[in-house]
Amino acid sequence: LSPSLPVSPRLSPSLPVCPSVRLSVCLLSLRLNASGATTKRMKHCEEPCQHICTPVLSVILPVFNAMPWLTIALRDMLKQTLTDGSLELLVAFDGGNDGSLEFLLALVRELGHDRASDELCDVPHSAPSTNPAYLQPLRASEGVDHPSFVPCEAPIDQEGLSVTQVAAACRPEHRLRLLRYHDLVNRGQGAAMSLALAHAQAPLIAQMEADDERNAPDAFARMICALEAKPDW
């Protein structure tokens, strides 16, 4: 954990996110405003599910054609051990046709309604009608390597995990929330992150990529501890 970890002291849950921003190793501090804009979610929870209604950490995870690496990212997020409280993993599905959605839906069913949900969302007027990246010209031919990259051998094929394996690794206090628009259109990473941020409930927010790993089960706990020790970050 680096003491120079970047932190946003005033991040609005409805803030549009630039798709070029990479926040894979950041833990963002979300300061709730006086209006309590982020506290209106999940009011339908019953009293026994209080730990679900008030997570300590919201992890946002945009997903587009992320198999098989998505299976490992899900496992690593939901196996995290927090010192006090639970986390919610907000998976914003951004279209695709590689089986990511089918895997996510199967995992929701495997975990059950007490620990997971599939939430269909209306498309806001501010959401793009398509992925803005498709409207930009290519910076180089698809077959040309980027000059700043060192040529290397093709990576070893990643073997994905099964739904049963991921579910078995999930801690019972955590919750998986699958968020998706009705039309399943690919609108880009920025729109997916904004969707997840708009539904986040916790006072702290972390962002992960769908091909990321967090091998250490206490990774987020250490980040939270660092933020609590340095509230001015």
Side-chain angles (χ1 to χ4, degrees):
L1 184 64
S2 170
S4 61
L5 182 71
V7 174
S8 172
R10 297 185 182 277
L11 179 63
S12 167
S14 61
L15 182 69
V17 181
C18 174
S20 65
V21 176
R22 301 278 297 185
L23 300 175
S24 300
V25 297
C26 298
L27 187 66
L28 304 182
S29 176
L30 176 64
R31 310 300 185 191
L32 300 182
N33 55 39
S35 64
T38 62
T39 62
K40 61 184 179 182
R41 312 285 188 229
M42 299 288 284
K43 292 299 184 183
H44 61 276
C45 291
E46 299 178 357
E47 193 64 31
C49 302
Q50 192 64 32
H51 67 286
I52 295 177
C53 298
T54 54
V56 171
L57 177 67
S58 295
V59 182
I60 63 174
L61 184 74
V63 170
F64 173 73
N65 282 351
M67 295 294 282
W69 303 275
L70 173 63
T71 65
I72 298 171
L74 292 169
R75 178 202 62 188
D76 285 0
M77 294 303 93
L78 293 170
K79 75 177 185 181
Q80 291 290 311
T81 56
L82 301 183
T83 303
D84 183 22
S86 62
L87 69 78
E88 60 173 2
L89 177 59
L90 298 112
V91 179
F93 179 72
D94 189 32
N97 56 4
D98 71 338
S100 294
L101 179 58
E102 290 75 12
F103 186 91
L104 288 164
L105 290 171
L107 183 57
V108 168
R109 290 192 298 268
E110 182 76 13
L111 292 175
H113 69 275
D114 288 335
R115 301 171 60 194
S117 59
D118 174 25
E119 304 176 32
L120 290 175
C121 307
D122 294 328
V123 181
H125 295 297
S126 59
S129 59
T130 187
N131 189 335
Y134 295 143
L135 306 178
Q136 302 298 318
L138 292 175
R139 290 177 291 180
S141 171
E142 290 287 353
V144 177
D145 288 334
H146 193 283
S148 65
F149 294 162
V150 177
C152 63
E153 296 181 359
I156 299 175
D157 290 338
Q158 175 67 59
E159 183 176 350
L161 303 174
S162 68
V163 170
T164 302
Q165 289 174 310
V166 175
C170 296
R171 293 187 61 84
E173 67 269 24
H174 299 333
R175 184 171 182 82
L176 169 66
R177 298 177 61 191
L178 171 58
L179 307 172
R180 55 192 177 111
Y181 290 127
H182 290 274
D183 57 10
L184 303 179
V185 169
N186 170 228
R187 291 181 165 84
Q189 186 182 33
M193 291 173 65
S194 292
L195 172 63
L197 283 171
H199 288 77
Q201 303 174 83
L204 295 174
I205 292 181
Q207 192 265 334
M208 289 285 294
E209 302 291 343
D211 59 353
D212 281 354
E213 297 183 11
R214 281 289 183 273
N215 291 323
D218 64 341
F220 284 138
R222 286 185 283 131
M223 293 181 187
I224 292 174
C225 182
L227 282 176
E228 291 174 344
K230 299 284 188 179
D232 56 328
W233 279 2

